[in-house]
Amino acid sequence: MPHARIPAALASLTLLVAGCGGSLIAPEGPASNAFLNRVEARCGKLSVGSQPINYLLDSSSDDTTFIDETTKLGAGMIDASTYASDINSFYPMGDNQAAIDCVIGLVE
């Protein structure tokens, strides 16, 4: 039956995606918000891709990748190397190094 293969394929895909990089959802809460506030205060003028960090953290920005990755870093869900790789992969424009170094420097 061809239709019996579809649920099996979807289940396999779900397991594959769930296994990539651990949790796909960044934590939320007071600690995460405090970390993002420190990032904005100390690194907000630096740019990732073509946007300053303070814009990427603004609630009117459609971009959630920076917030998700930065929150995961602050919560210890990813390490500095993974964070840098993820940010550079998603934002290939410009030089992100100063911004990445600033954010990583805030991890306690």
Side-chain angles (χ1 to χ4, degrees):
M1 287 180 118
H3 296 292
R5 291 185 204 158
I6 293 172
L10 288 176
S12 295
L13 181 60
T14 300
L15 289 173
L16 179 66
V17 170
C20 293
S23 177
L24 298 176
I25 300 173
E28 294 182 24
S32 296
N33 291 337
F35 183 70
L36 292 175
N37 288 339
R38 282 198 321 271
V39 169
E40 184 169 22
R42 297 193 187 161
C43 311
K45 302 287 185 212
L46 301 172
S47 292
V48 170
S50 60
Q51 300 295 332
I53 287 176
N54 57 7
Y55 175 78
L56 293 171
L57 294 174
D58 191 299
S59 61
S60 65
S61 173
D62 296 355
D63 187 344
T64 59
T65 300
F66 181 78
I67 292 173
D68 286 345
E69 292 299 314
T70 302
T71 302
K72 288 178 189 178
L73 175 72
M77 295 174 68
I78 60 174
D79 62 16
S81 176
T82 301
Y83 178 77
S85 176
D86 290 351
I87 293 297
N88 282 323
S89 294
F90 196 80
Y91 303 97
M93 305 290 283
D95 182 7
N96 301 326
Q97 197 60 52
I100 290 170
D101 290 344
C102 183
V103 173
I104 290 171
L106 298 176
V107 175
E108 297 177 346

